[in-house]
Amino acid sequence: MAVDLTGISVFLAVAELRSFRAAAEHLGVTRPAVSQAIRRLEDRLGVALVQRTTRSVSLTEAGAQLYQRVAPAIGEVGFALDATADRDAAPSGLLRLAVSSIAERFISGPLLAGFLDACPAVQVDVTVTDEEFDIVAQGFDAGVRLGEVIDQDMIAIPVSGEQRQIPVAAPAYIKRFGKPSHPSELAQHRCIGWRPSPRTAPYRWEFGEAGREYDVAVNPEITTNDMWLMIRTACAGGGITFGMEETFRPYVTSGQLVPLLEGYCPPFAGFFLYFPNRRNLAPKLRALVDHVKRWR
């Protein structure tokens, strides 16, 4: 069977965006063109791939199986074409990155601004997300996450030094409710918690004591996936929150927040730029890797 690359490309866009309209905008075509391409592909294969209602778009079982098998392969084809075309060229093109919301050193601005100065022909598209997924299957060139959650088959380049997570609270909160002297006392305090998505439980706060690591399941009165909401609420005296020391540093320096339980907060490996283990990197990604190494 001849391969319908156009139909496959349209199908992948619909599968990833779950919208015919969004797929059309992404591909730069009309919605009828997307519908026709999907219909031709389904007719060619003799099976329905997409279920479409007035409110949603989803994949059939056959569509989901096709996506799982084809997406990585198309990603490799795209990479091979880019690498061949750009082998001797200056870094250029769109560089798609998936970055953790707490990777402060990477998303704070200077690192990316310096990279764009050095490589003006590269456009960087950064998706800030705490969802865990296969960056290759989703069409990203690289990601930035904590080293402990990166798959071992990836190449990882340090973006930061060691990190610590600490609890913090505003002086007004401490004056009113006092400081906990041990992580076990957090259950008696107002806490502001974090979760990556509505489908997941609040993050358990991690501590260390006498060489032993453990976590505490606080009962947060406020839970959100937005670190800046956590910080603003904590600065207003709304409770104790927990996160990266580096993220809190400006607020600690200004006196808006006070670190707590520091003796129970051991350091750990920090953030890494990671990408698939490939023999030849596209110039745009190689340039970012080199820039991160110089930045470190």
Side-chain angles (χ1 to χ4, degrees):
M1 179 183 294
V3 178
D4 179 7
L5 289 178
T6 299
I8 290 293
S9 297
V10 172
F11 168 71
L12 291 178
V14 171
E16 291 169 4
L17 298 172
R18 290 295 196 271
S19 165
F20 277 57
R21 178 189 57 78
E25 292 176 354
H26 175 72
L27 296 169
V29 298
T30 64
R31 273 183 285 181
V34 170
S35 297
Q36 292 168 11
I38 293 295
R39 190 179 305 114
R40 284 195 299 268
L41 183 61
E42 289 178 329
D43 290 344
R44 190 177 185 82
L45 297 176
V47 64
L49 301 173
V50 177
Q51 292 177 329
R52 184 183 184 186
T53 69
T54 56
R55 294 186 178 182
S56 66
V57 172
S58 61
L59 299 181
T60 64
E61 182 179 359
Q65 290 177 353
L66 179 63
Y67 176 78
Q68 291 172 0
R69 293 170 179 169
V70 168
I74 292 295
E76 289 295 328
V77 169
F79 171 77
L81 293 173
D82 288 344
T84 300
D86 298 336
R87 183 174 49 207
D88 300 318
S92 64
L94 180 64
L95 186 65
R96 298 189 65 214
L97 306 174
V99 182
S100 170
S101 67
I102 54 174
E104 178 70 19
R105 184 73 59 87
F106 193 87
I107 63 176
S108 60
L111 189 154
L112 283 175
F115 174 67
L116 294 176
D117 280 342
C119 302
V122 176
Q123 298 85 47
V124 180
D125 183 286
V126 179
T127 296
V128 178
T129 175
D130 295 301
E131 297 277 358
E132 294 187 22
F133 55 83
D134 183 341
I135 59 171
V136 176
Q138 296 297 322
F140 289 94
D141 296 287
V144 178
R145 299 186 66 83
L146 287 172
E148 62 190 32
V149 297
I150 296 174
D151 291 339
Q152 293 184 352
D153 61 349
M154 293 284 177
I155 295 176
I157 307 296
V159 174
S160 73
E162 286 190 327
Q163 299 284 305
R164 283 205 312 169
Q165 293 193 100
I166 61 172
V168 293
Y173 177 88
I174 294 171
K175 182 177 180 180
R176 186 177 177 188
F177 296 103
K179 292 182 179 182
S181 60
H182 189 272
S184 61
E185 297 176 11
L186 288 168
Q188 287 114 45
H189 281 266
R190 293 181 178 177
C191 293
I192 304 163
W194 176 85
R195 53 165 174 70
S197 72
R199 302 181 298 277
T200 55
Y203 177 73
R204 295 170 69 96
W205 296 7
E206 299 179 47
F207 298 95
E209 187 174 358
R212 180 179 66 90
E213 295 181 356
Y214 60 95
D215 54 53
V216 175
V218 299
N219 185 25
E221 295 191 358
I222 298 176
T223 307
T224 179
N225 67 336
D226 185 355
M227 174 59 67
W228 309 117
L229 175 60
M230 294 165 61
I231 291 173
R232 289 192 294 269
T233 306
C235 287
I240 300 173
T241 194
F242 188 80
M244 290 294 171
E245 182 178 29
E246 187 174 66
T247 302
F248 296 141
R249 185 170 292 124
Y251 305 91
V252 172
T253 301
S254 67
Q256 294 174 269
L257 294 174
V258 176
L260 305 172
L261 302 172
E262 290 189 88
Y264 299 94
C265 302
F268 53 87
F271 292 94
F272 292 77
L273 172 71
Y274 69 100
F275 47 90
N277 186 358
R278 287 168 170 152
R279 185 164 39 191
N280 296 309
L281 290 182
K284 58 187 178 182
L285 181 54
R286 187 187 309 114
L288 178 62
V289 170
D290 292 342
H291 180 75
V292 166
K293 289 179 177 178
R294 289 193 298 269
W295 180 270
R296 284 279 294 129

